[in-house]
Amino acid sequence: MHATLEKLQDRNEAYDRPSRKAAEEAVRTLIRWLGEDPGREGLVDTPARVVRAYAEWFDGYEQDPAALLQRTFEEVGGYDGIVVLSDIPFESCCEHHMAAIHGIVHVGYLPQHRVVGISKIARLVEAFARRLQVQERLTAQIADTIAEVLSPYGVGVVVKATHACLSTRGVRKHGVSMVTSRMLGAFRDDPAVRQEFLTAIT
Ligand SMILES: [Zn+2]
């Protein structure tokens, strides 16, 4: 069995979670609702594949974002500037339409005592992105977790993303991207720090 799916099933006791069979049945219902025959050769295995794909796309629920930042380094060789990671790509899913969100995240922080490995910040982004989301909450969750766990002098997070629910349905506007940001501590209060961050990400 798929490893992620196994983990998902392990936490079934935590709440009234439908079985994998029930989830596959729901996909079959959607296929029938579209006017298709779920028994058709090309569609027979689709419900199982869709459920496996969902387990992967939403494996952010399996992760504890704060735990990802626990291993930090205190030795920074006297470095006292801001640390910026720009253009971290992510895929997420809008919780209103369950449609894809694609974008990039820029993260900056001004360490007080501790810095974290750069791959950990990228994994933090994934842990929150791979859930049902709205872009505003994704932005806030990334910033707030870094602020809480690392206690830096400040944090800045900017997210720029396109939403399939806007480009492929409704008003069908292509090429529109949405930008959200959250500035905390020195990134909010000190114009020089904020400017240094904004210059680094452009
Ligand atoms: Zn949407």
Side-chain angles (χ1 to χ4, degrees), residues 94 96-97 165:
C94 113
H96 300 134
H97 304 93
C165 60

Side-chain angles (χ1 to χ4, degrees), residues 93-99 101 133 163-166 169:
C93 185
C94 113
E95 69 180 24
H96 300 134
H97 304 93
M98 295 179 76
I101 303 172
Q133 274 292 8
H163 293 242
C165 60
L166 182 68
R169 55 158 292 287

Side-chain angles (χ1 to χ4, degrees), residues 122-149:
R123 287 186 61 199
L124 177 74
V125 169
E126 294 251 291
F128 282 123
R130 295 169 80 86
R131 302 172 184 219
L132 291 173
Q133 274 292 8
V134 295
Q135 188 177 326
E136 294 88 340
R137 185 174 61 225
L138 173 65
T139 309
Q141 285 175 328
I142 296 166
D144 293 352
T145 304
I146 294 170
E148 278 167 36
V149 181

Side-chain angles (χ1 to χ4, degrees), residues 7-189:
K7 264 190 279 167
L8 280 167
Q9 287 179 342
D10 282 348
R11 60 182 188 135
N12 277 4
E13 288 95 60
Y15 61 105
D16 187 20
R17 185 159 200 255
S19 68
R20 185 165 61 110
K21 277 260 168 302
E24 289 177 9
E25 200 46 52
V27 177
R28 217 165 276 124
T29 301
L30 273 174
I31 292 171
R32 283 205 342 265
W33 180 77
L34 294 173
E36 272 279 8
D37 168 15
R40 180 159 74 70
E41 198 189 342
L43 292 174
V44 154
D45 297 322
T46 296
R49 275 192 299 260
V50 170
V51 169
R52 277 200 301 275
Y54 267 61
E56 244 184 280
W57 288 330
F58 293 96
D59 62 9
Y61 291 112
E62 300 310 302
Q63 303 187 37
D64 177 355
L68 294 172
L69 300 183
Q70 291 305 338
R71 257 197 76 215
T72 56
F73 307 97
E74 296 192 13
E75 185 53 65
V76 291
Y79 183 80
D80 62 356
I82 65 171
V83 177
V84 178
L85 270 95
S86 64
D87 301 283
I88 305 166
F90 76 93
E91 284 100 44
S92 189
C93 185
C94 113
E95 69 180 24
H96 300 134
H97 304 93
M98 295 179 76
I101 303 172
H102 294 284
I104 50 169
V105 183
H106 308 292
V107 174
Y109 67 106
L110 182 58
Q112 180 167 201
H113 307 297
R114 308 189 299 164
V115 296
V116 71
I118 51 175
S119 66
K120 297 301 183 328
I121 300 279
R123 287 186 61 199
L124 177 74
V125 169
E126 294 251 291
F128 282 123
R130 295 169 80 86
R131 302 172 184 219
L132 291 173
Q133 274 292 8
V134 295
Q135 188 177 326
E136 294 88 340
R137 185 174 61 225
L138 173 65
T139 309
Q141 285 175 328
I142 296 166
D144 293 352
T145 304
I146 294 170
E148 278 167 36
V149 181
L150 298 183
S151 302
Y153 290 117
V155 184
V157 173
V158 174
V159 178
K160 184 177 183 185
T162 57
H163 293 242
C165 60
L166 182 68
S167 57
T168 65
R169 55 158 292 287
V171 292
R172 300 192 191 188
K173 290 294 176 209
H174 286 270
V176 179
S177 48
M178 177 167 156
V179 178
T180 46
S181 71
R182 185 165 181 88
M183 304 286 171
L184 301 171
F187 284 65
R188 187 192 55 215
D189 303 329

